[in-house]
Each structure stands twice: as C-alpha cells, then as structure tokens.
Amino acid sequence: AVEESVAATPPALVAEAAPAEAAAAAAPAAAAGRGTTITQKITDEGAIRLATSQQATRNMTPTDRQIFALNSRVQAQNRAPVDFPGFIREGFDITVVGEGYVMDKDGLIYKDFAEGKGPLPSEGQQVVFDYTAYNESGAVIDSSYRKGRAAETRLGIQGLIPGFEMGIRGMRPGGKRRIVVPPALGPPVGPSTFFSAKQCEVSHLSCPVLCCTTAHVVRCLATLSAV
C-alpha cells in the first residue's frame, strides 16, 4: 500500500527504506513533528517517493540539494517540457518532485491535465495512441512522432510496460495525463534488453486514441506523460 511518511532527521528525503509496517508506524510522529508528509511506496526495487517542491525543500540534505540542482540543470539542457518532475536518487531510492501529482496504490505517479469524459478502456480493447517518452534527465528516449506512426496495442496482452498500460487504463476519452513509471512498474533491464539501468520513465500521450472491440469503436483524445 502507499504510505504517508516523513523522516525526522533524514539521510535523504525520508527515512531509509524499511518494511512497510515500520514506516507506517513511524509516520504519525514524524508528520506531527514536521507538519508535512511525503508519499512513498516501498518495493523490491527500492523506495519511490512523491513530494511537492515545498515538502522536498524542507527535507533536503546538502547532498540532496546538489543532486536536485544537477538534475534540474541537465533537464534544462535537454529542453524538458514545462513542469517536468525533478528526481533525487540515493541508491535505488528515488524521490519524484513535482506539483499536482498523485501516487496510486501500486506506486504509479500521474498528473491529469484534463480528465476527459466517457468510459475507460477495457480489457481486450485495441488502443492506438501517440506518445513521447523521457528519462529522468528530460531527454527523449522514444517517440511515435519520430517514427512517423502511432503506437498500437491490445490491453491485457502485456504489449506495454506495466506502468504505461496502467496509466492508459485510467484515462477517459479526451483526457490528458502525465505519468511517472517507477522501476518496479517499468521494463526489465540487463544486457539482453534495451534498458541498462533502473530509472523512472516519463511519457506524454497526446494524440487521437482508438479503443476498439469487435462490437464498437470509441474515438478518444488522450495525453499521457510517464517517468
């Protein structure tokens, strides 16, 4: 489950990764002492945390500030989109810094710019969409626009990385969203894969989306952003 916790004297932004029960038990006292909370989920891949700029600033160590400043400079050099989230890493623990984001129970982080209307896509539907994916440095790593054609998959056949599909499943026609996919919900890594390091992935989906079954076709417009 997603927890709310803040370290009283953090080695990073929150207490070092600990069992969920211990972190949950420590949260009330920590929150009372600091007056702010940072959302986090502990996974086998490390801790994923979500903080607003104010929350992050209150809990940053000098090392965190240096890491965050470097990340911001590199994102600016890569011309990352406006309001792109910041990242602070300590080992396998990652803190995502941004305004207006939400973390769900699985650790997927997202921000809806427009919720849209109509039904959510369902299991087995064919989804056609355009997207741009970024790494934590704000550099483009993949884009349907560069390929000159939209992406297409059927939900439920594991055609997308888990977090990306989860983000699409939560969007209604006309919706616009940015998602941050943590390593635990991301692609496999290793020498036999395209990915060599466990990073968050941020993707934008912003073109017509078709959700199809043999019975009907629903035309959607969605914008997805994942890390």
Side-chain angles (χ1 to χ4, degrees):
V2 176
E3 305 154 14
E4 298 286 338
S5 72
V6 166
T9 54
L13 291 185
V14 296
E16 192 140 340
E21 295 81 7
R34 298 302 296 272
T36 184
T37 58
I38 293 176
T39 307
Q40 76 170 355
K41 179 176 178 62
I42 307 298
T43 73
D44 292 339
E45 306 289 346
I48 181 72
R49 304 171 181 125
L50 174 62
T52 64
S53 297
Q54 185 179 44
Q55 290 169 340
T57 299
R58 289 178 179 176
N59 291 276
M60 281 185 186
T61 65
T63 299
D64 293 332
R65 295 182 189 279
Q66 292 177 353
I67 296 172
F68 186 66
L70 176 60
N71 178 241
S72 298
R73 288 197 299 271
V74 174
Q75 287 184 359
Q77 293 170 358
N78 288 329
R79 298 182 179 181
V82 175
D83 196 28
F84 198 81
F87 296 88
I88 303 173
R89 300 178 65 95
E90 183 174 358
F92 292 108
D93 297 340
I94 305 171
T95 298
V96 180
V97 182
E99 312 303 321
Y101 289 86
V102 176
M103 181 187 291
D104 71 10
K105 62 181 179 60
D106 296 304
L108 180 71
I109 296 172
Y110 64 91
K111 179 177 181 178
D112 284 320
F113 296 92
E115 294 187 0
K117 298 180 180 180
L120 297 172
S122 60
E123 188 79 2
Q125 283 190 310
Q126 191 78 2
V127 183
V128 180
F129 56 92
D130 279 292
Y131 67 94
T132 302
Y134 303 82
N135 60 20
E136 295 174 9
S137 298
V140 176
I141 57 176
D142 195 14
S143 172
S144 63
Y145 298 103
R146 290 183 173 181
K147 298 174 181 177
R149 57 183 174 81
E152 182 175 349
T153 191
R154 186 175 299 279
L155 297 181
I157 65 168
Q158 299 180 343
L160 300 172
I161 63 174
F164 199 96
E165 180 163 323
M166 290 165 60
I168 291 177
R169 286 176 178 269
M171 299 178 68
R172 300 181 184 279
K176 296 184 177 183
R177 169 176 288 191
R178 173 180 295 161
I179 66 172
V180 179
V181 179
L185 300 176
V189 299
S192 61
T193 72
F194 176 77
F195 301 91
S196 60
K198 293 183 179 294
Q199 283 204 8
C200 289
E201 181 179 311
V202 181
S203 303
H204 298 270
L205 178 68
S206 56
C207 241
V209 175
L210 294 175
C211 307
C212 313
T213 65
T214 55
H216 67 281
V217 176
V218 181
R219 187 171 181 79
C220 320
L221 183 65
T223 301
L224 178 65
S225 203
V227 167

